[in-house]
Amino acid sequence: MIPVGIDVMTFSTAHFVLDVEDLATARGVDFQKYRTGLGLEAMSVPSPQEDIITMGVEAGQRAMARVADPASIRFVLFATESSIDQSKSAGIYIHHFLGLPSSCRVIELKQACYGATAALQLAVAIIRQNPQERALIIASDVARYGLRTKGEPTQGCGAVALIVSAHPRLLQLEETSGTYTRHIMDFWRPNGQDEACVDGRYSTISYLDALEKSWKDFQSRGGVAFEEIACTCYHTPFPRMAEKASTRHAKLVGREKSLDPALLSAALRYNRQVGNCYTAALYVSLLSLLEQASHDFSDQRLGFFSYGSGCVAEFFTGIVPPGYQEVLFPEAHAHTLERRLPLTVPRYEEFYAQSLHPTFVPTPHYPMGPLCFLGIRDQQRHYSLMSSIAQKAS
Ligand code: HMG
């Protein structure tokens, strides 16, 4: 069978950051609750001129720069739960601003944080049938629970771009996967509401329950043993949740200890800085592992636990090909995190309010990536490529 999987992968995030220590002080909470109890350091915050499209275009541009033949992209899949339209796919904006061929199909997928994994499995199935083609997946989200809520410290935002192809350079997906679906109300966002509803404690119990069920399904379908997996990346709504998942996973297979703590810590380094980015979170963790661990994963197997509230979960595996280091972007990702400007809590609250009700501003006001969200006019979202603004100015 032709190997199919992730050929290139990269992430982007917003240009502003809030230190969770400042948030804890402002909310009168012991900082150690956020730092140790949730495992957080900071959260990315979008300016009023950033959204899921601006972050997605930045990640998409970087990924596409590594694709020798852009015309081979035949499918754009956009996974999100921060959708900007009930009808039109956010992927069409990506398709437009990346200048992709008109022969592409474009769709948007939704099932909470599981959406990107659904997109990946769909893309892999399509490429297996058409190995000369490639698919571009963008998973982009802004996590919002509301100011002064219990979920507030677990907000964040970010986007990943994945190129799926035959003979992938980063991760070759294996066929066996374990899945689990159950109708529950742990986390949801009704139509017309900008902030998620959440039953926090129940959501953490449901997440761990879904790990157990999807792992058992994986085993019942002939999936490999725990010992054959070098490291597992877990969906990361906040880093402590992934640490708990790792401990639970070890217990499920009768082990005292979870995986190598140094690998788990490497897998969570980017997530600690960015916060929850829903659909993108699991794949940010994979990038963090591959780029931050001082370990050669060549020819080794990685495990993945994807969880989307509501809920759908999947456990699957992939093999890392030798030479994978050449397609990583550690410097670009370090820059993406370091370039962010710190916000005070009052300024973060202003940004938060403005992002919920974007007004139209015809010019860029804040530092940003290749695309600026100008706002909403005539019920349409307007964007401007920074390169065209620079051209007009010169
Ligand atoms: P909370 O009630 O504010 O916090 O909500 P808590 O009281 O449960 O405390 C959290 C941890 O901090 C506890 O540790 C405390 O002991 C510890 P644990 O007992 O769990 O090990 N703690 C301290 N540690 C050190 N020093 C202190 C201190 N005080 C307390 N002084 C909660 C926390 C995560 C529930 C809340 O932030 C929330 O609702 N977040 C959003 C929901 C969420 O992220 N759920 C995760 C699972 S669901 C999921 O992953 C899907 C999701 O990504 C969405 C999707 O699929 O689309 C969310």
Side-chain angles (χ1 to χ4, degrees):
M1 183 169 290
I2 302 166
V4 177
I6 304 172
D7 189 47
V8 180
M9 180 163 62
T10 178
F11 84 93
S12 70
T13 190
H15 281 65
F16 292 87
V17 63
L18 181 66
D19 191 317
V20 295
E21 185 165 1
D22 295 342
L23 183 64
T25 307
R27 300 296 180 245
V29 172
D30 178 358
F31 160 59
Q32 284 306 330
K33 175 174 176 182
Y34 295 170
R35 184 70 192 84
T36 318
L38 300 175
L40 290 162
E41 286 170 11
M43 65 164 91
S44 285
V45 179
S47 79
Q49 292 191 315
E50 293 180 300
D51 68 1
I52 56 167
I53 305 296
T54 63
M55 293 187 296
V57 163
E58 180 164 28
Q61 268 193 358
R62 194 182 298 134
M64 285 301 297
R66 292 261 168 93
V67 176
D69 174 16
S72 63
I73 303 286
R74 291 273 292 163
F75 211 157
V76 176
L77 299 104
F78 195 110
T80 189
E81 55 176 301
S82 327
S83 195
I84 53 169
D85 196 292
Q86 289 281 17
S87 177
K88 179 173 170 143
S89 164
I92 297 183
Y93 293 85
I94 302 290
H95 175 270
H96 171 69
F97 288 115
L98 295 187
L100 294 172
S102 58
S103 53
C104 251
R105 313 172 190 97
V106 181
I107 59 165
E108 182 173 311
L109 294 97
K110 175 180 67 183
Q111 178 21 61
C113 300
Y114 174 72
T117 301
L120 178 59
Q121 295 292 9
L122 183 57
V124 165
I126 287 168
I127 304 299
R128 278 213 171 104
Q129 287 187 340
N130 309 283
Q132 73 291 354
E133 298 182 358
R134 289 185 174 85
L136 168 65
I137 297 172
I138 303 286
S140 184
D141 270 303
V142 179
R144 281 199 191 98
Y145 293 95
L147 304 179
R148 296 173 192 81
T149 60
K150 289 209 166 177
E152 186 180 32
T154 65
Q155 297 179 137
C157 66
V160 289
L162 290 79
I163 306 285
V164 178
S165 75
H167 306 289
R169 288 171 286 178
L170 204 62
L171 187 79
Q172 183 184 321
L173 249 70
E174 294 187 290
E175 277 185 81
T176 308
S177 79
T179 47
Y180 174 70
T181 293
R182 188 177 165 214
H183 171 42
I184 55 168
M185 299 304 281
D186 62 330
F187 168 107
W188 66 104
R189 186 164 68 85
N191 286 346
Q193 222 167 282
D194 295 306
E195 290 150 343
C197 303
V198 63
D199 185 340
R201 197 110 287 243
Y202 179 49
S203 75
T204 61
I205 295 164
S206 304
Y207 168 114
L208 293 175
D209 186 47
L211 168 63
E212 179 172 341
K213 300 289 181 2
S214 55
W215 171 255
K216 284 187 174 159
D217 189 53
F218 177 73
Q219 290 297 296
S220 74
R221 288 168 194 280
V224 296
F226 185 81
E227 292 69 24
E228 291 176 65
I229 300 171
C231 181
T232 293
C233 295
Y234 303 90
H235 169 56
T236 308
F238 51 92
R240 191 77 192 102
M241 189 75 240
E243 287 166 0
K244 285 185 179 187
S246 167
T247 306
R248 171 68 73 90
H249 196 180
K251 276 209 180 119
L252 279 175
V253 297
R255 289 183 141 226
E256 292 257 311
K257 275 208 205 141
S258 51
L259 57 87
D260 183 343
L263 291 186
L264 184 57
S265 163
L268 297 175
R269 208 159 293 159
Y270 292 161
N271 304 75
R272 280 189 215 290
Q273 290 294 322
V274 169
N276 197 355
C277 42
Y278 292 159
T279 51
L282 175 64
Y283 299 91
V284 169
S285 175
L286 170 58
L287 282 168
S288 190
L289 177 70
L290 296 177
E291 294 182 348
Q292 296 294 318
S294 48
H295 179 96
D296 185 356
F297 290 102
S298 299
D299 289 322
Q300 294 196 344
R301 176 177 288 109
L302 299 180
F304 300 91
F305 171 62
S306 181
Y307 178 76
S309 282
C311 71
V312 177
E314 181 160 350
F315 192 93
F316 61 102
T317 56
I319 307 283
V320 182
Y324 70 94
Q325 296 91 340
E326 282 159 38
V327 282
L328 293 173
F329 297 92
E331 291 85 13
H333 292 147
H335 173 69
T336 297
L337 295 175
E338 282 157 17
R339 76 182 176 190
R340 293 175 302 168
L341 299 173
L343 288 172
T344 60
V345 173
R347 193 83 174 114
Y348 144 73
E349 290 178 356
E350 269 174 42
F351 273 15
Y352 191 95
Q354 287 167 17
S355 294
L356 293 183
H357 305 286
T359 49
F360 184 82
V361 181
T363 47
H365 271 222
Y366 305 99
M368 64 191 62
L371 188 70
C372 174
F373 170 49
L374 298 174
I376 298 175
R377 197 174 54 187
D378 302 330
Q379 294 180 310
Q380 294 181 25
R381 294 180 86 83
H382 292 268
Y383 293 90
S384 191
L385 276 170
M386 298 304 281
S387 54
S388 60
I389 291 172
Q391 257 172 19
K392 271 188 213 149
S394 62

